[in-house]
Amino acid sequence: MGIFKNIFTWWEGATFGTAMGTIFGGERVGEDALGNIYYEAKKAENGRKRRWVIYKGANDASRVPPEWHGWLHGTLDAVPSEALPSPRPWQREATPNLTGTGSAYRPAGALEAGGRRAQATGDYEAWAPDA
């Protein structure tokens, strides 16, 4: 299927231009713990090399760990494994944004969680424009 898959469908969630840039103009620089692969352009444009990510799974920017986010946006020149110290024992792993999924946070009383709102207590007085 090869090239036809890239032309007529999304390639691992990437657009055709990103897929072709990855194949012909990109150099793989690293991979994060979630399996996302990071690339950098071989040639610089306007003094900077373009950087991008090919997600493993759904395209969701919240799935990019903070250290790789810094690299993608040019805050770090070297890849995070070379530029940053090892994580501290008290640091937690970054988690993706779960909004819109079954695992999203649902507070007590949320209709999606099957809860019921607490009964109104009567301590609320509605605003009226004539008051």
Side-chain angles (χ1 to χ4, degrees):
M1 190 122 154
I3 190 78
F4 293 109
K5 178 185 175 201
N6 292 339
I7 293 172
F8 298 110
T9 66
W10 295 80
W11 174 64
E12 301 294 333
T15 62
F16 178 72
T18 302
M20 290 298 108
T22 301
I23 293 169
F24 297 113
E27 179 180 345
R28 181 183 172 143
V29 295
E31 184 174 340
D32 65 21
L34 298 173
N36 300 324
I37 303 171
Y38 298 87
Y39 292 89
E40 187 170 45
K42 293 177 184 174
K43 296 180 183 177
E45 293 179 15
N46 299 326
R48 290 183 83 171
K49 290 185 176 182
R50 182 175 166 251
R51 297 173 175 179
W52 66 95
V53 59
I54 300 294
Y55 297 99
K56 180 177 183 183
N59 285 356
D60 181 7
S62 72
R63 294 183 65 237
V64 173
E67 60 273 11
W68 281 103
H69 181 272
W71 179 82
L72 282 170
H73 292 276
T75 305
L76 300 171
D77 288 330
V79 293
S81 59
E82 299 169 6
L84 298 176
S86 58
R88 307 278 186 188
W90 47 265
Q91 288 179 310
R92 292 194 297 176
E93 290 288 322
T95 57
N97 183 351
L98 299 175
T99 302
T101 69
S103 301
Y105 171 71
R106 309 245 195 279
L111 297 177
E112 297 88 358
R116 296 182 53 104
R117 282 185 66 179
Q119 191 70 16
T121 61
D123 62 346
Y124 173 77
E125 185 178 325
W127 176 82
D130 298 331

